[in-house]
């Protein structure tokens, strides 16, 4: 079982996690584009505070959340196929490395400022879903050379719907839970939209 890096633990220990690296390409999405995207999902200053609070709750539970998400992926052969090795079966090392980054992603969604550095890393993640970079980060030989865009879009639902119980465990106030839930939903939608950019010239 892989636990997300606790507060104060260097993220350099996470395989393939390159947030803030000077080697990352500059995102083709501008900060103005991002601001327009935020406006489109009805992002507000209240969402900023709610998301920060959500991060305080979700971060320590990241491994439990990943158990739910990985259970969902593992129950669908067409989804787990993205993590297959050369022999066509799920590669545990590949799954583990991605899991560690996914756990940190939960923390980053809630705590990182959406600046140029953040945009550049979203672009890097986006490329890792496409033929340009999939499998390269973890050095795997996988028959799956791309994550289909339709699944990136559709995954907004399970990544959002499954998060409310984790918020409610630590925040019994229904209004607070709803505010955090909506902020998380908006943030996941923004992320999915950014990850879709390499797939479409008309993004």
């Amino acid at each position: 079982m892989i636990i997300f890096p606790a507060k104060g633990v260097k993220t350099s220990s996470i395989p393939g996690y390159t947030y803030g690296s000077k080697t990352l390409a500059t995102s083709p999405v501008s900060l103005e584009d991002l601001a327009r995207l935020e406006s489109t999902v009805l992002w507000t200053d209240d969402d900023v505070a709610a998301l920060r609070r959500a991060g305080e709750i979700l971060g320590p539970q990241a491994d439990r959340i990943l158990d739910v998400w990985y259970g969902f992926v593992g129950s669908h052969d067409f989804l787990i196929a993205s993590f297959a090795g050369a022999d066509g079966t799920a590669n545990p090392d590949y799954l583990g490395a991605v899991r560690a980054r996914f756990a940190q992603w939960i923390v980053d969604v809630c705590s990182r400022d959406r600046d140029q550095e953040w945009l550049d890393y979203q672009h890097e993640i986006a490329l890792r879903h496409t033929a340009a970079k999939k499998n390269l980060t973890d050095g795997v030989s996988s028959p799956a050379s791309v994550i289909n865009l339709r699944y990136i879009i559709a995954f907004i639902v399970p990544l959002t719907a499954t998060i409310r119980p984790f918020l409610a465990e630590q925040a019994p106030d229904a209004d607070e839970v709803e505010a955090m839930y909506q902020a998380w939903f908006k943030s996941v939608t923004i992320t999915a939209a950014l990850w879709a950019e390499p797939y479409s010239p008309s993004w």
Side-chain angles (χ1 to χ4, degrees):
M1 184 173 291
I2 297 174
I3 307 297
F4 86 107
K7 186 175 182 180
V9 175
K10 291 184 178 180
T11 53
S12 59
S13 63
I14 303 174
Y17 182 75
T18 56
Y19 193 104
S21 171
K22 300 302 182 183
T23 64
L24 295 180
T26 301
S27 172
V29 179
S30 69
L31 290 170
E32 182 180 12
D33 291 332
L34 176 60
R36 290 172 175 171
L37 189 57
E38 289 177 329
S39 294
T40 302
V41 301
L42 307 178
W43 186 256
T44 69
D45 289 342
D46 288 341
D47 289 318
V48 176
L51 192 62
R52 293 289 191 267
R53 171 61 177 144
E56 295 172 359
I57 294 173
L58 299 177
Q61 300 188 82
D63 206 54
R64 292 177 57 212
I65 296 169
L66 266 293
D67 284 344
V68 173
W69 291 351
Y70 265 48
F72 172 74
V73 171
S75 67
H76 295 81
D77 56 357
F78 57 90
L79 294 178
I80 197 66
S82 298
F83 298 96
D87 62 358
T89 62
N91 182 322
D93 293 334
Y94 191 13
L95 283 164
V98 172
R99 181 182 174 113
R101 293 194 295 272
F102 216 167
Q104 183 60 37
W105 175 80
I106 294 172
V107 177
D108 287 348
V109 165
C110 298
S111 63
R112 297 282 191 181
D113 292 331
R114 295 197 192 120
D115 52 16
Q116 188 63 51
E117 190 173 68
W118 183 84
L119 266 181
D120 293 345
Y121 193 56
Q122 301 319 301
H123 179 55
E124 172 68 15
I125 295 175
L127 291 176
R128 293 180 185 183
H129 287 91
T130 72
K133 283 200 170 184
K134 189 181 182 300
N135 304 328
L136 293 179
T137 301
D138 299 297
V140 297
S141 297
S142 174
S145 61
V146 65
I147 304 293
N148 296 117
L149 177 58
R150 58 183 177 270
Y151 297 131
I152 292 175
I153 296 171
F155 230 76
I156 294 171
V157 176
L159 291 187
T160 301
T162 57
I163 217 71
R164 188 187 291 273
F166 293 99
L167 294 170
E169 281 184 14
Q170 303 294 324
D173 182 80
D175 289 340
E176 183 182 15
V177 170
E178 181 63 19
M180 292 187 291
Y181 181 77
Q182 291 298 327
W184 173 265
F185 174 36
K186 293 175 185 179
S187 294
V188 171
T189 301
I190 289 169
T191 300
L194 292 173
W195 290 357
E197 184 276 328
Y199 291 83
S200 175
S202 59
W203 188 91

